Structures are given as C-alpha cells and as structure tokens.
Amino acid sequence: MAIASDSASRLASAAERTNATLEALLAPLDRARSVVLRWLGRLAPSILASRSKRTALYVWIALTTAIVTTVASPVWTFALGPLVFGVPHLLVDLRYLVVRTGLHRRFGMALSVGAPLLLATLPLDSILGVPHVVLGLSAGFGAILFARASGLARGAALLAWALVVAAAAYWPRASLYALVHGHNFVAVGLFLAVFASSRRVALSIGVGFLALSVMLALGLFDAWLLRPAALAGPPTAISFPEMVRSLAPVDDPVLGARLACLFVFAQAVHYGVWIRLVPEEARERPGLRSFQSSLRALRAEVGLGVVVITLVLALAVLVRAVGSLEAARLAYLHASSAHGYVELAFLLWYLLEGRRGAPLAPERAC
C-alpha cells in the first residue's frame, strides 16, 4: 500500500514538473503574442472582438499560404508539410472527433471502429488477403451501427456503405488514390458542416478552396508550377517526377503534375483547417486564449500523457528528417495511415446522429 502511494506521489510530482516545463516553454510565445495583439488592436480592433472575423482572416491566411507555397515549390511543401504539421493535426483529430464527442466511451462503437483501424495500420494485407483500404473503410460500419438513429436510416446507410466497401475491394488501387485525395476535401467538408459557426466563415473557405482547386486542376497555375525552380526540392526528399507518380499515376504528364499539386495544396489547407480553424471555432468561449491557457484546456480534455506522447512523436519525426526527409515522411504516413478513415467514420456518424444535436461537448473549464 505504501509502495503504491509512493509511486502515485512520484507520478503526480513528475506530472507537475512536466506541466511546469511545458508552460515555461510557451511563456516566450505568449509574450510575443501580446506584442502582436497590441499592434493588431490598434490596427484592426474589430478582429480581436469578433470570432467570425478572426476565423475569416485565418481562412484567407490558410488559403493564401497553401496556394503560394504550392505554386512556389510543390516539392518542398509536400516534403515539409507532414513533418511540421502532421502529428499536431492528428492530436486535433483525436480531440475534436473522438474525445470531445465522447464516442470513445461507447464500447460497441469504439471496438467496431477501432479494430478495423488497428488492422489497417498494421502491414497485414498479404496475411489477411484484404486490401488496406477495405480494412480502413470497414470502420464506417461501426460508426453506422452504433449511431443513435432510426433503424431505417441506419439500414440505408449500411447498404450504401457496403457498396462503397465492395467497390474498394474490387478496385483497391483506384480507391486508395481516391481516399488519398478525397480525405483532404472531407476535412474541409467537416469544418463546413460541423465547426463553422458563421455563414461568412463557411462561404470564405468553401468558395476559396473550391475556386483555387479548380484553377489548379484546369492548369491556370501551370506557368508557375512547371518552372524548373519550382520543381526542385530538398536533396533527401522525393523528386517531383516521383511525387507525381506516387499521387497521380496517369498517362498525361501535365495532368499528373496538376493533380499532384492539387493534392499538395489541399493537404496544406487540410492542416490549416485542423490546426487553426477547428480549434478557433470549436472553443466554447469566443475570446482569445493564450498558448499557456490553450495547453491547460488541451491537457484537461485529452490528458497530459497524450500531450507528451504527441510531443515525443513530433520530435521523433523531426529527428528522422535530419537524415532523410522522405524516410521521415513515410514513417509519419505509416503511423497516421488510419486518420483518414477516422474522419470518414466520424462523418458517417455525424450524418446519422450528430446533426440532430450539438456534436461537440463543451470544453472543460481551465
């Protein structure tokens, strides 16, 4: 009993030290933030007072940054984006799609969704004889079965999703490419349907994202995208031709380049949505929040252990990138291979149950 009590005391002490260290690391950022806010308060005070205006500004910053970096250097953007933003955006996925909704506390749903996701993460294709994409998409059945909806609605959804999974089994390679590209659009769609609190915000990102995507696909940026300088990348990253082959294996090289760059742009917007827009819109209180306060709110919801694991994984990816950017990107992709299926499963649940009421539980006071 004394040993258990001593161990608990040591764990609590270690947690307190970790909290103090993390908050101390964020203190300089909060001081810099205060300077920026004072400047912004004099220049555009309405942005500080209105969440919808702030989010609209963030939308255009995200869209502008995504299109400029994609057009200027698609290979650099493709190589560095997952390494810098990948792990943090997985944490946001977990926080707002799973923890905030409380879906992880529904045993049946957690098991029926989690088991296929775990299998999809492991290299079991050759052993099970089932394509990776089929295993991942099968998580959607659990989301449908355990959604609190009418039997008719769940039956129709199960039938429709069975057709999707059957198509993936018949055309696994094409389905995987569709998922790779489509999950970026799913993220934007989730933001519009679930998180955007104002019509202005929804219209801003919906119209802007769609317009820039169409412009990329139709070749309006070809003169910039196909410049030799734009096609260069880091020496340890994937080359532009290899990037195109991995994302858009089509016969027309120009079309392939456009589709690959469309993915790079959409992925950058995807990260912006989860890392900046969703936390801003999903916060219960509309006011601004410091970095330290954000850390306390995050810790209260997901737990200190998850925060520390996220930091360790993010650092591990960056350390691996020192030797090879491509090896680090592939390691991240392997570890995060299930997150696209999580977003799809959440979308299915939301269409059946979440839209009938508030899909997000209020965050805890901190």
Side-chain angles (χ1 to χ4, degrees):
M1 227 20 216
I3 295 176
S5 176
D6 185 55
S7 298
S9 177
R10 289 182 179 180
L11 285 174
S13 178
E16 290 177 4
R17 289 196 300 271
T18 303
N19 287 332
T21 300
L22 293 175
E23 293 200 14
L25 291 173
L26 292 175
L29 293 177
D30 275 331
R31 287 194 290 270
R33 171 183 174 275
S34 297
V35 174
V36 172
L37 290 181
R38 283 196 297 270
W39 173 80
L40 189 59
R42 291 192 297 268
L43 183 67
S46 63
I47 292 178
L48 300 184
S50 170
R51 172 157 58 183
S52 65
K53 289 183 179 180
R54 283 198 309 274
T55 310
L57 175 63
Y58 296 148
V59 163
W60 287 108
I61 290 174
L63 291 174
T64 302
T65 302
I67 193 62
V68 168
T69 55
T70 298
V71 169
S73 187
V75 180
W76 277 94
T77 305
F78 179 70
L80 296 180
L83 307 186
V84 177
F85 303 111
V87 174
H89 112 279
L90 296 180
L91 177 61
V92 181
D93 259 13
L94 173 68
R95 180 184 187 182
Y96 291 104
L97 301 187
V98 180
V99 176
R100 183 70 73 86
T101 57
L103 296 179
H104 61 300
R105 292 193 291 270
R106 299 189 193 179
F107 179 77
M109 180 176 288
L111 181 62
S112 59
V113 172
L117 292 179
L118 177 61
L119 292 175
T121 304
L122 302 174
L124 298 177
D125 300 48
S126 58
I127 299 175
L128 298 178
V130 180
H132 170 282
V133 66
V134 173
L135 291 171
L137 291 174
S138 296
F141 289 121
I144 295 170
L145 279 170
F146 291 94
R148 292 166 182 158
S150 69
L152 180 61
R154 281 184 294 154
L158 284 171
L159 177 59
W161 198 245
L163 294 176
V164 171
V165 175
Y170 193 76
W171 296 290
R173 190 163 179 264
S175 299
L176 185 58
Y177 281 112
L179 177 72
V180 165
H181 286 267
H183 92 284
N184 291 323
F185 290 82
V186 168
V188 176
L190 281 176
F191 177 75
L192 294 175
V194 182
F195 298 101
S197 61
S198 73
R199 186 173 299 175
R200 175 195 307 206
V201 169
L203 191 63
S204 294
I205 192 168
V207 172
F209 179 66
L210 182 60
L212 290 170
S213 297
V214 171
M215 291 168 69
L216 276 168
L218 294 180
L220 272 68
F221 294 102
D222 282 0
W224 293 281
L225 284 172
L226 303 181
R227 292 177 297 116
L231 304 185
T236 62
I238 193 171
S239 68
F240 185 79
E242 291 170 334
M243 185 184 84
V244 172
R245 284 194 295 272
S246 69
L247 293 172
V250 296
D251 294 332
D252 186 340
V254 175
L255 177 60
R258 291 174 184 173
L259 291 176
C261 291
L262 173 58
F263 171 85
V264 174
F265 163 73
Q267 178 179 252
V269 176
H270 181 150
Y271 291 145
V273 164
W274 286 114
I275 292 175
R276 180 63 269 174
L277 301 183
V278 168
E280 181 69 28
E281 290 289 271
R283 190 168 62 244
E284 184 182 35
R285 291 171 291 182
L288 294 168
R289 170 183 277 166
S290 68
F291 288 105
Q292 291 177 325
S293 179
S294 295
L295 173 63
R296 288 190 286 271
L298 176 63
R299 192 178 64 233
E301 288 193 46
V302 304
L304 179 62
V306 172
V307 174
V308 172
I309 290 171
T310 301
L311 290 173
V312 170
L313 290 177
L315 287 173
V317 170
L318 292 177
V319 169
R320 184 66 184 94
V322 173
S324 170
L325 289 174
E326 180 59 8
R329 188 185 69 85
L330 292 176
Y332 161 75
L333 291 179
H334 176 73
S336 66
S337 58
H339 92 275
Y341 304 118
V342 172
E343 293 175 5
L344 283 173
F346 176 87
L347 177 61
L348 291 170
W349 168 81
Y350 179 77
L351 291 174
L352 287 169
E353 177 185 337
R355 63 179 179 175
R356 298 187 306 165
L360 301 173
E363 63 186 12
R364 299 176 190 176
C366 61

